[in-house]
Amino acid sequence: MRVGFVLMPSDPWPTTVATARHLDEAGADHLWVYDHLSWRHYRDLPWHATYPWLTGVAAVTERIRLGTMVSNLNVRHPVTLAKDAMTIDHISDGRLMIGLGAAGLGFDATVLGQAELSPGQRMDRLVEATGVIDGLLRGSLTDHTGDWYTVDDARMLPGCVQRPRLPLGVAASGPRGLRLAAEVADAWITIGDPTDPDRSVAAADRALARQRETLDQACADVGRDPTTIDRILLTGHTDERPLASVDAFDDCVGRHADLGFTDLVFHHPRDDDPVWNEPPEIVDAVLARHAASTP
């Protein structure tokens, strides 16, 4: 099991540098950032731009992998997203992964003056955007005309450090998104079932098992070996508090390994967060346990 953390891009830059370097040195496998222009209770608090923030983190770390959880199609065009990602792949020496999702409602959905989209429209847009980004980063697409995007003679030179392109993860909980992940993605990202009001551990595990079965069937339908797609769970959206103690962390890791997950992502504790505010020393404790259990 690989273990990573989401950092909020809210701290003064020296604090971010210190935290990122510490996670790098302590053995975390990956570090993620949300791609919003503002977010939830941070709406009127400092919130830095995603890709410049990732560029800075890439420059001050050496080993840890980096990613977006997930890139926000409400405010991103595939061409500029792909160009930014390709560039950070070079700055990080091949440590970047891009998560892609359908995007949600709220401030980011309308900040550029656009109308809010229905769930079906957002999924249609995700399918098209993922195909375009995949082709751009592989160097196999320069032109595209679709329902959502037009690309005219785009160039992605010199291409990605990682070949055939940097990894893409697709965030999905329903059949269409899981089918897209099976077709295109290197990883599937989930938080469980966001529509289920039952936030218990048992309900969450049942939802994850159903999603896993749907993904496996989608892989079979498209002729893909299901073991070739990583399975990333972003924790923190149920009643479970996996960073409450080392024992809670161990239980979370063991249960989700049994469910077939390859990666767990936790929210790095913050004093100013109403939910993810465990004592910060728990991070070192769980990373020490992670290191001890890793061959």
Side-chain angles (χ1 to χ4, degrees), residues 28-65:
D29 296 296
H30 29 69
L31 183 160
W32 305 82
V33 62
Y34 287 137
D35 186 24
H36 293 286
L37 299 180
S38 67
W39 189 66
R40 294 189 182 181
H41 92 280
Y42 295 88
R43 184 78 169 84
D44 295 312
L45 297 175
W47 189 272
H48 297 293
T50 301
Y51 285 96
W53 189 93
L54 274 174
T55 299
V57 170
V60 300
T61 55
E62 297 181 358
R63 177 200 55 81
I64 196 167
R65 292 193 63 82

Side-chain angles (χ1 to χ4, degrees), residues 88-236:
I88 299 174
D89 197 43
H90 282 263
I91 293 168
S92 66
D93 193 23
R95 290 185 286 129
L96 185 69
M97 173 179 176
I98 293 297
L100 297 171
L105 303 177
F107 170 76
D108 282 340
T110 58
V111 66
L112 301 183
Q114 70 272 45
E116 287 188 349
L117 303 177
S118 70
Q121 288 173 316
R122 296 199 304 275
M123 181 55 66
D124 291 342
R125 182 180 63 179
L126 173 62
V127 171
E128 184 174 331
T130 302
V132 171
I133 293 166
D134 177 51
L136 287 167
L137 292 175
R138 290 179 184 273
S140 60
L141 183 149
T142 57
D143 298 274
H144 171 82
T145 301
D147 294 331
W148 297 97
Y149 302 106
T150 299
V151 179
D152 181 15
D153 200 24
R155 293 288 186 271
M156 289 291 148
L157 299 173
C160 297
V161 172
Q162 300 172 85
R163 297 292 181 173
R165 55 148 172 74
L166 61 86
L168 298 180
V170 167
S173 58
R176 285 191 68 195
L178 291 163
R179 171 75 179 223
L180 177 65
E183 291 174 338
V184 180
D186 303 281
W188 162 49
I189 301 169
T190 185
I191 62 171
D193 183 355
T195 67
D196 190 348
D198 186 346
R199 294 173 54 86
S200 68
V201 169
D205 286 355
R206 288 193 297 270
L208 293 172
R210 290 193 299 270
Q211 291 175 0
R212 178 198 64 198
E213 292 168 2
T214 302
L215 177 66
D216 288 346
Q217 184 58 56
C219 286
D221 292 343
V222 301
R224 179 175 184 179
D225 179 352
T227 65
T228 63
I229 185 166
D230 290 336
R231 292 143 192 259
I232 302 172
L233 174 64
L234 174 60
T235 68

